[in-house]
């Protein structure tokens, strides 16, 4: 009897060893491609594949699976998307950290509004070089959301975000230098960051720079041509934004 039992166990073990292992994704691009199919087409086979990869601990798969639950909340309980985002964020996935921070900041995905937690996750993303996250930290410090209100700390994060090529942060940093808010007034730095913001196509900066140059002289001014070009560029930006809403 014992010999028969041992033989059965051996057979089960051999069969288990011979069973094909779950195929690992070859790249992040492969996971995200499956994620697109899962989110946009709601294809069950794609969702199942994401779930298998997510359960194996792939952060990108966990984030993509969370996005499926965000779009189709009836698939799980209210906290399912947040739970997968938290796993991905803890594993260091940048987009998951930002999405989780936004969920805490807005009190969405079944999470209670918690700006302190939002700051934690925005800072994690900022440390990975994300200018969006750094700019949000600047805004939250300016308004005292999740952190003591501090213009100096706000300017610190504006500087970080500007270095990370966030055009909106560049413009706000220009304003801070111009007005001396949270940092010593410096007209040269104000002009530099206004120019940089315009270079990165931030529409408000383009308009502000155009108006500033336009006030420096008439049609014979060396600034006149640049001013006209900037006004045209600002107008083109408004037209493009209008057309996207038609």
């Amino acid at each position: 009897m014992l010999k028969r039992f041992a033989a059965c166990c051996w057979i089960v073990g051999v069969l288990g060893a011979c069973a094909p292992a779950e195929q690992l994704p070859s790249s992040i691009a492969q996971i995200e491609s499956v994620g697109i199919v899962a989110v946009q087409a709601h294809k069950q086979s794609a969702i199942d594949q994401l779930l298998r990869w997510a359960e194996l601990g792939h952060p990108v798969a966990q984030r993509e699976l969370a996005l499926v639950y965000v779009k189709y909340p009836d698939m799980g309980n209210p906290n399912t998307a947040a739970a997968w985002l938290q796993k991905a964020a803890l594993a260091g996935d940048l987009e998951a950290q930002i999405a989780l921070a936004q969920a805490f900041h807005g009190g969405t995905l079944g999470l209670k509004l918690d700006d302190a937690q939002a700051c934690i996750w925005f800072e994690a993303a900022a440390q990975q070089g994300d200018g969006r996250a750094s700019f949000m930290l600047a805004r939250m410090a300016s308004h005292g959301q999740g952190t003591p209100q501090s213009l100096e700390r706000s300017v610190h994060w504006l500087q970080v975000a500007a270095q990370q090529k966030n055009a909106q942060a560049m413009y706000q940093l220009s304003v801070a230098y111009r007005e001396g808010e949270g940092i010593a007034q410096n007209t040269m730095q104000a002009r530099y960051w206004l120019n940089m913001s315009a270079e990165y196509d931030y529409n408000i900066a383009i308009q502000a720079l155009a108006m500033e140059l336009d006030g420096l002289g008439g049609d014979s001014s060396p600034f006149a041509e640049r001013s006209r070009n900037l006004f045209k560029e600002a107008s083109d930006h408004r037209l493009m934004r209008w057309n996207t809403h038609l």
Side-chain angles (χ1 to χ4, degrees), residues 13 31 44 58-59 129 133 139 152 174 186 191 203 207 212 219 232:
I31 301 174
Q44 191 59 49
H58 292 278
R139 285 186 58 184
E152 289 76 14
S174 168
N186 188 319
R191 168 57 69 85
N203 193 37
Q207 293 177 19
E212 184 177 316
D219 289 341
K232 183 180 182 304

Side-chain angles (χ1 to χ4, degrees), residues 101-152:
Q102 290 171 335
F104 274 118
H105 185 49
T108 59
L109 304 185
L111 298 173
K112 291 182 179 179
L113 192 153
D114 189 334
D115 280 332
Q117 279 294 313
C119 282
I120 289 171
W121 289 111
F122 277 132
E123 186 161 356
Q127 295 296 341
Q128 293 201 61
D130 192 274
R132 298 166 298 172
S134 298
F135 180 70
M136 281 301 301
L137 287 168
R139 285 186 58 184
M140 294 177 79
S142 175
H143 296 292
Q145 296 173 314
T147 186
Q149 186 174 20
S150 168
L151 289 179
E152 289 76 14

Side-chain angles (χ1 to χ4, degrees), residues 174-195:
S174 168
V175 173
Y177 274 119
R178 186 188 71 209
E179 303 297 329
E181 294 179 347
I183 198 166
Q185 196 171 35
N186 188 319
T187 54
M188 290 183 63
Q189 284 293 309
R191 168 57 69 85
Y192 172 79
W193 286 112
L194 181 61
N195 272 291

Side-chain angles (χ1 to χ4, degrees), residues 25-212:
S26 59
S27 66
I28 290 176
Q30 182 187 358
I31 301 174
E32 291 180 336
S33 295
V34 173
I36 290 171
V37 175
V39 171
Q40 295 186 358
H42 199 204
K43 192 172 181 180
Q44 191 59 49
S45 60
I47 297 170
D48 292 341
Q49 182 64 77
L50 284 178
L51 179 59
R52 288 192 293 272
W53 286 336
E55 288 176 339
L56 286 173
H58 292 278
V60 177
Q62 291 167 345
R63 178 238 298 165
E64 292 296 313
L65 185 61
L67 296 179
V68 174
Y69 285 113
V70 169
K71 185 164 184 181
Y72 306 104
D74 292 342
M75 288 177 52
N77 65 58
N79 297 313
T80 305
W84 283 115
L85 276 181
Q86 286 176 319
K87 286 179 182 291
L90 284 167
D93 184 79
L94 173 63
E95 295 300 327
Q97 290 172 346
I98 291 175
L100 187 59
Q102 290 171 335
F104 274 118
H105 185 49
T108 59
L109 304 185
L111 298 173
K112 291 182 179 179
L113 192 153
D114 189 334
D115 280 332
Q117 279 294 313
C119 282
I120 289 171
W121 289 111
F122 277 132
E123 186 161 356
Q127 295 296 341
Q128 293 201 61
D130 192 274
R132 298 166 298 172
S134 298
F135 180 70
M136 281 301 301
L137 287 168
R139 285 186 58 184
M140 294 177 79
S142 175
H143 296 292
Q145 296 173 314
T147 186
Q149 186 174 20
S150 168
L151 289 179
E152 289 76 14
R153 186 164 177 78
S154 177
V155 168
H156 162 74
W157 283 113
L158 284 178
Q159 291 172 321
V160 173
Q163 293 293 343
Q164 292 166 336
K165 298 181 172 56
N166 183 286
Q168 191 173 359
M170 293 173 182
Y171 175 74
Q172 294 296 342
L173 184 57
S174 168
V175 173
Y177 274 119
R178 186 188 71 209
E179 303 297 329
E181 294 179 347
I183 198 166
Q185 196 171 35
N186 188 319
T187 54
M188 290 183 63
Q189 284 293 309
R191 168 57 69 85
Y192 172 79
W193 286 112
L194 181 61
N195 272 291
M196 288 297 294
S197 184
E199 287 290 328
Y200 279 88
D201 291 331
Y202 187 56
N203 193 37
I204 295 175
I206 292 170
Q207 293 177 19
L209 190 57
M211 292 176 68
E212 184 177 316

